[in-house]
mmCIF file with all atom_site columns, all heavy atoms in Angstrom:
data_model
loop_
_atom_site.group_PDB
_atom_site.id
_atom_site.type_symbol
_atom_site.label_atom_id
_atom_site.label_alt_id
_atom_site.label_comp_id
_atom_site.label_asym_id
_atom_site.label_entity_id
_atom_site.label_seq_id
_atom_site.pdbx_PDB_ins_code
_atom_site.Cartn_x
_atom_site.Cartn_y
_atom_site.Cartn_z
_atom_site.occupancy
_atom_site.B_iso_or_equiv
_atom_site.pdbx_formal_charge
_atom_site.auth_seq_id
_atom_site.auth_comp_id
_atom_site.auth_asym_id
_atom_site.auth_atom_id
_atom_site.pdbx_PDB_model_num
ATOM 1  N N   . ILE A 1 99  ? 129.464 136.945 141.496 1.00 97.00 ? 99  ILE A N   1
ATOM 2  C CA  . ILE A 1 99  ? 128.525 137.781 142.268 1.00 97.00 ? 99  ILE A CA  1
ATOM 3  C C   . ILE A 1 99  ? 129.096 139.181 142.310 1.00 97.00 ? 99  ILE A C   1
ATOM 4  O O   . ILE A 1 99  ? 130.320 139.361 142.562 1.00 97.00 ? 99  ILE A O   1
ATOM 5  C CB  . ILE A 1 99  ? 128.376 137.291 143.714 1.00 97.00 ? 99  ILE A CB  1
ATOM 6  C CG1 . ILE A 1 99  ? 127.890 135.848 143.779 1.00 97.00 ? 99  ILE A CG1 1
ATOM 7  C CG2 . ILE A 1 99  ? 127.439 138.204 144.512 1.00 97.00 ? 99  ILE A CG2 1
ATOM 8  C CD1 . ILE A 1 99  ? 128.011 135.229 145.142 1.00 97.00 ? 99  ILE A CD1 1
ATOM 9  N N   . VAL A 1 100 ? 128.263 140.167 142.074 1.00 98.00 ? 100 VAL A N   1
ATOM 10 C CA  . VAL A 1 100 ? 128.686 141.559 142.252 1.00 98.00 ? 100 VAL A CA  1
ATOM 11 C C   . VAL A 1 100 ? 127.482 142.378 142.699 1.00 98.00 ? 100 VAL A C   1
ATOM 12 O O   . VAL A 1 100 ? 126.355 142.113 142.283 1.00 98.00 ? 100 VAL A O   1
ATOM 13 C CB  . VAL A 1 100 ? 129.317 142.158 140.959 1.00 98.00 ? 100 VAL A CB  1
ATOM 14 C CG1 . VAL A 1 100 ? 128.309 142.308 139.852 1.00 98.00 ? 100 VAL A CG1 1
ATOM 15 C CG2 . VAL A 1 100 ? 129.997 143.483 141.244 1.00 98.00 ? 100 VAL A CG2 1
ATOM 16 N N   . ALA A 1 101 ? 127.727 143.315 143.585 1.00 98.00 ? 101 ALA A N   1
ATOM 17 C CA  . ALA A 1 101 ? 126.685 144.229 144.038 1.00 98.00 ? 101 ALA A CA  1
ATOM 18 C C   . ALA A 1 101 ? 127.326 145.570 144.322 1.00 98.00 ? 101 ALA A C   1
ATOM 19 O O   . ALA A 1 101 ? 128.536 145.654 144.570 1.00 98.00 ? 101 ALA A O   1
ATOM 20 C CB  . ALA A 1 101 ? 125.983 143.686 145.299 1.00 98.00 ? 101 ALA A CB  1
ATOM 21 N N   . GLU A 1 102 ? 126.520 146.610 144.304 1.00 98.00 ? 102 GLU A N   1
ATOM 22 C CA  . GLU A 1 102 ? 127.044 147.970 144.450 1.00 98.00 ? 102 GLU A CA  1
ATOM 23 C C   . GLU A 1 102 ? 126.137 148.788 145.376 1.00 98.00 ? 102 GLU A C   1
ATOM 24 O O   . GLU A 1 102 ? 124.915 148.726 145.246 1.00 98.00 ? 102 GLU A O   1
ATOM 25 C CB  . GLU A 1 102 ? 127.092 148.606 143.067 1.00 98.00 ? 102 GLU A CB  1
ATOM 26 C CG  . GLU A 1 102 ? 127.519 150.051 143.051 1.00 98.00 ? 102 GLU A CG  1
ATOM 27 C CD  . GLU A 1 102 ? 127.455 150.588 141.637 1.00 98.00 ? 102 GLU A CD  1
ATOM 28 O OE1 . GLU A 1 102 ? 126.359 150.975 141.185 1.00 98.00 ? 102 GLU A OE1 1
ATOM 29 O OE2 . GLU A 1 102 ? 128.506 150.595 140.974 1.00 98.00 ? 102 GLU A OE2 1
ATOM 30 N N   . ASN A 1 103 ? 126.747 149.515 146.266 1.00 98.00 ? 103 ASN A N   1
ATOM 31 C CA  . ASN A 1 103 ? 126.053 150.503 147.090 1.00 98.00 ? 103 ASN A CA  1
ATOM 32 C C   . ASN A 1 103 ? 126.633 151.860 146.712 1.00 98.00 ? 103 ASN A C   1
ATOM 33 O O   . ASN A 1 103 ? 127.853 152.018 146.557 1.00 98.00 ? 103 ASN A O   1
ATOM 34 C CB  . ASN A 1 103 ? 126.289 150.288 148.587 1.00 98.00 ? 103 ASN A CB  1
ATOM 35 C CG  . ASN A 1 103 ? 125.568 149.075 149.118 1.00 98.00 ? 103 ASN A CG  1
ATOM 36 O OD1 . ASN A 1 103 ? 124.838 148.380 148.420 1.00 98.00 ? 103 ASN A OD1 1
ATOM 37 N ND2 . ASN A 1 103 ? 125.780 148.802 150.404 1.00 98.00 ? 103 ASN A ND2 1
ATOM 38 N N   . ILE A 1 104 ? 125.761 152.863 146.613 1.00 98.00 ? 104 ILE A N   1
ATOM 39 C CA  . ILE A 1 104 ? 126.229 154.227 146.374 1.00 98.00 ? 104 ILE A CA  1
ATOM 40 C C   . ILE A 1 104 ? 125.616 155.150 147.434 1.00 98.00 ? 104 ILE A C   1
ATOM 41 O O   . ILE A 1 104 ? 124.588 154.823 148.010 1.00 98.00 ? 104 ILE A O   1
ATOM 42 C CB  . ILE A 1 104 ? 125.900 154.722 144.930 1.00 98.00 ? 104 ILE A CB  1
ATOM 43 C CG1 . ILE A 1 104 ? 124.387 154.716 144.675 1.00 98.00 ? 104 ILE A CG1 1
ATOM 44 C CG2 . ILE A 1 104 ? 126.637 153.888 143.905 1.00 98.00 ? 104 ILE A CG2 1
ATOM 45 C CD1 . ILE A 1 104 ? 123.982 155.301 143.332 1.00 98.00 ? 104 ILE A CD1 1
ATOM 46 N N   . ALA A 1 105 ? 126.280 156.247 147.673 1.00 97.00 ? 105 ALA A N   1
ATOM 47 C CA  . ALA A 1 105 ? 125.759 157.225 148.633 1.00 97.00 ? 105 ALA A CA  1
ATOM 48 C C   . ALA A 1 105 ? 126.243 158.602 148.223 1.00 97.00 ? 105 ALA A C   1
ATOM 49 O O   . ALA A 1 105 ? 127.282 158.756 147.596 1.00 97.00 ? 105 ALA A O   1
ATOM 50 C CB  . ALA A 1 105 ? 126.231 156.902 150.046 1.00 97.00 ? 105 ALA A CB  1
ATOM 51 N N   . TRP A 1 106 ? 125.460 159.584 148.609 1.00 94.00 ? 106 TRP A N   1
ATOM 52 C CA  . TRP A 1 106 ? 125.822 160.973 148.380 1.00 94.00 ? 106 TRP A CA  1
ATOM 53 C C   . TRP A 1 106 ? 125.154 161.806 149.463 1.00 94.00 ? 106 TRP A C   1
ATOM 54 O O   . TRP A 1 106 ? 124.056 161.459 149.941 1.00 94.00 ? 106 TRP A O   1
ATOM 55 C CB  . TRP A 1 106 ? 125.343 161.448 147.017 1.00 94.00 ? 106 TRP A CB  1
ATOM 56 C CG  . TRP A 1 106 ? 125.588 162.905 146.792 1.00 94.00 ? 106 TRP A CG  1
ATOM 57 C CD1 . TRP A 1 106 ? 126.761 163.488 146.457 1.00 94.00 ? 106 TRP A CD1 1
ATOM 58 C CD2 . TRP A 1 106 ? 124.642 163.948 146.941 1.00 94.00 ? 106 TRP A CD2 1
ATOM 59 N NE1 . TRP A 1 106 ? 126.617 164.860 146.386 1.00 94.00 ? 106 TRP A NE1 1
ATOM 60 C CE2 . TRP A 1 106 ? 125.310 165.154 146.677 1.00 94.00 ? 106 TRP A CE2 1
ATOM 61 C CE3 . TRP A 1 106 ? 123.306 163.991 147.289 1.00 94.00 ? 106 TRP A CE3 1
ATOM 62 C CZ2 . TRP A 1 106 ? 124.677 166.388 146.748 1.00 94.00 ? 106 TRP A CZ2 1
ATOM 63 C CZ3 . TRP A 1 106 ? 122.673 165.224 147.365 1.00 94.00 ? 106 TRP A CZ3 1
ATOM 64 C CH2 . TRP A 1 106 ? 123.363 166.405 147.077 1.00 94.00 ? 106 TRP A CH2 1
ATOM 65 N N   . GLY A 1 107 ? 125.793 162.856 149.874 1.00 83.00 ? 107 GLY A N   1
ATOM 66 C CA  . GLY A 1 107 ? 125.211 163.752 150.866 1.00 83.00 ? 107 GLY A CA  1
ATOM 67 C C   . GLY A 1 107 ? 125.596 163.428 152.289 1.00 83.00 ? 107 GLY A C   1
ATOM 68 O O   . GLY A 1 107 ? 125.118 164.067 153.221 1.00 83.00 ? 107 GLY A O   1
ATOM 69 N N   . TYR A 1 108 ? 126.450 162.463 152.466 1.00 88.00 ? 108 TYR A N   1
ATOM 70 C CA  . TYR A 1 108 ? 126.934 162.111 153.795 1.00 88.00 ? 108 TYR A CA  1
ATOM 71 C C   . TYR A 1 108 ? 128.391 162.595 153.913 1.00 88.00 ? 108 TYR A C   1
ATOM 72 O O   . TYR A 1 108 ? 129.240 162.121 153.167 1.00 88.00 ? 108 TYR A O   1
ATOM 73 C CB  . TYR A 1 108 ? 126.919 160.588 154.018 1.00 88.00 ? 108 TYR A CB  1
ATOM 74 C CG  . TYR A 1 108 ? 125.553 159.974 154.037 1.00 88.00 ? 108 TYR A CG  1
ATOM 75 C CD1 . TYR A 1 108 ? 124.976 159.497 152.869 1.00 88.00 ? 108 TYR A CD1 1
ATOM 76 C CD2 . TYR A 1 108 ? 124.836 159.870 155.225 1.00 88.00 ? 108 TYR A CD2 1
ATOM 77 C CE1 . TYR A 1 108 ? 123.728 158.906 152.887 1.00 88.00 ? 108 TYR A CE1 1
ATOM 78 C CE2 . TYR A 1 108 ? 123.604 159.284 155.247 1.00 88.00 ? 108 TYR A CE2 1
ATOM 79 C CZ  . TYR A 1 108 ? 123.032 158.791 154.066 1.00 88.00 ? 108 TYR A CZ  1
ATOM 80 O OH  . TYR A 1 108 ? 121.806 158.215 154.082 1.00 88.00 ? 108 TYR A OH  1
ATOM 81 N N   . PRO A 1 109 ? 128.687 163.490 154.824 1.00 84.00 ? 109 PRO A N   1
ATOM 82 C CA  . PRO A 1 109 ? 130.061 163.969 154.934 1.00 84.00 ? 109 PRO A CA  1
ATOM 83 C C   . PRO A 1 109 ? 131.017 162.997 155.610 1.00 84.00 ? 109 PRO A C   1
ATOM 84 O O   . PRO A 1 109 ? 132.221 163.050 155.390 1.00 84.00 ? 109 PRO A O   1
ATOM 85 C CB  . PRO A 1 109 ? 129.949 165.256 155.730 1.00 84.00 ? 109 PRO A CB  1
ATOM 86 C CG  . PRO A 1 109 ? 128.657 165.121 156.478 1.00 84.00 ? 109 PRO A CG  1
ATOM 87 C CD  . PRO A 1 109 ? 127.774 164.239 155.673 1.00 84.00 ? 109 PRO A CD  1
ATOM 88 N N   . ARG A 1 110 ? 130.486 162.069 156.448 1.00 86.00 ? 110 ARG A N   1
ATOM 89 C CA  . ARG A 1 110 ? 131.366 161.177 157.214 1.00 86.00 ? 110 ARG A CA  1
ATOM 90 C C   . ARG A 1 110 ? 131.078 159.709 156.919 1.00 86.00 ? 110 ARG A C   1
ATOM 91 O O   . ARG A 1 110 ? 129.934 159.295 156.806 1.00 86.00 ? 110 ARG A O   1
ATOM 92 C CB  . ARG A 1 110 ? 131.203 161.464 158.698 1.00 86.00 ? 110 ARG A CB  1
ATOM 93 C CG  . ARG A 1 110 ? 131.685 162.851 159.105 1.00 86.00 ? 110 ARG A CG  1
ATOM 94 C CD  . ARG A 1 110 ? 131.724 163.098 160.616 1.00 86.00 ? 110 ARG A CD  1
ATOM 95 N NE  . ARG A 1 110 ? 130.681 162.474 161.394 1.00 86.00 ? 110 ARG A NE  1
ATOM 96 C CZ  . ARG A 1 110 ? 129.457 162.992 161.598 1.00 86.00 ? 110 ARG A CZ  1
ATOM 97 N NH1 . ARG A 1 110 ? 129.132 164.147 161.056 1.00 86.00 ? 110 ARG A NH1 1
ATOM 98 N NH2 . ARG A 1 110 ? 128.584 162.360 162.342 1.00 86.00 ? 110 ARG A NH2 1
#
Side-chain angles (χ1 to χ4, degrees):
I99 302 168
V100 67
E102 175 183 82
N103 288 358
I104 60 176
W106 175 79
Y108 295 91
R110 294 188 325 276

